[in-house]
Amino acid sequence: MQRLLDRVAVVTGAGSGIGLATVRRLAAEGAKVVAVDIDGGTGKAAAEEVGGLFVQADVTSEEDVRAVYDSAAREFGRVDVAFNNAGISPPEDDSILTTGLDAWRRVQEVNLTSVYLCCKHVIPHMQRGGGGSIINTASFVAVLGAATSQISYTASKGGVLAMSRELGVQFAREKIRVNALCPGPINTPLLQELFAADPERAQRRLVHVPMGRFGEPAEIAAAVAFLASDDASFITASPALT
């Protein structure tokens, strides 16, 4: 399928996990991909693999984020799809009784403030182009809560979900769709690192998953491609649970 033929898609957190799988899937469906990552090595490799553009950026920096979309528009003439996927889940983020304020603030910056900045600076490009699709990575914990405590992460993803709903309503009449992707546990380097020292915690997390297994990044990338395409033309302000 070439559902995204010649569309320009910007993917943050593109160097690994869900981001890398999505770079591959969007390119396979015909998109011109801009891979964004703070890691110059993995991000550049992702872009080169699909013949796309790499932009190194810290998505908590407004200057960097503005430059991402300006670079994409300068290179390809427009921005049609934004997958705001960069995020962290550090091991020191645990129960509210033990998580420190520094960890809380860092998670909010990377997981929530970055999405705010990305939406703020990509929407004007989409307005000029006559529309577009924004997909923000939230999490199933934003809907259900976590079986294993990650108070900062859960709160940040709840914010992403609420912001996506508001923006989806606000900009729908301008043909800009905004949806929140809410994956369950996915077999990514982030999850592997989080649960490596605590297999029992990983098993407790599976209580939420009907399939009885962690998802794979390629399965989430398929959902992103759907939401980015015209097949999802009537879907906005929606949490997509995967």
Side-chain angles (χ1 to χ4, degrees), residues 143 160-170 178 180 236-239:
V143 180
V160 170
L161 179 56
M163 179 164 50
S164 301
R165 284 171 167 156
E166 175 155 331
L167 296 179
V169 172
Q170 182 179 354
V178 186
T236 195
S238 174

Side-chain angles (χ1 to χ4, degrees), residues 20-107:
L20 177 58
T22 301
V23 165
R24 292 167 173 162
R25 179 62 183 254
L26 298 184
E29 295 216 19
K32 300 171 183 176
V33 178
V34 180
V36 182
D37 206 286
I38 197 169
D39 185 321
T42 59
K44 185 176 182 182
E48 289 178 345
E49 181 181 329
V50 300
L53 173 69
F54 170 60
V55 181
Q56 188 169 12
D58 176 354
V59 290
T60 68
S61 161
E62 186 162 17
E63 182 179 347
D64 280 13
V65 170
R66 185 186 294 111
V68 163
Y69 299 109
D70 289 348
S71 297
R74 188 164 52 248
E75 180 75 14
F76 297 118
R78 56 189 296 121
V79 180
D80 303 294
V81 177
F83 179 39
N84 300 321
N85 171 68
I88 60 172
S89 181
E92 61 269 26
D93 180 21
D94 201 290
S95 165
I96 195 170
L97 302 177
T98 58
T99 300
L101 188 56
D102 287 345
W104 166 270
R105 286 174 171 161
R106 177 61 179 158
V107 172

Side-chain angles (χ1 to χ4, degrees), residues 108-156:
Q108 305 316 309
E109 279 290 292
V110 177
N111 292 5
L112 180 56
T113 301
S114 71
V115 175
Y116 157 79
L117 290 173
C118 287
C119 291
K120 178 178 180 177
H121 290 288
V122 76
I123 286 172
H125 288 281
M126 292 181 172
Q127 288 174 316
R128 288 191 288 272
S133 176
I134 298 171
I135 304 105
N136 297 323
T137 299
S139 171
F140 78 110
V141 299
V143 180
L144 302 175
T148 55
S149 293
Q150 294 171 273
I151 187 61
S152 308
Y153 182 87
T154 299
S156 70

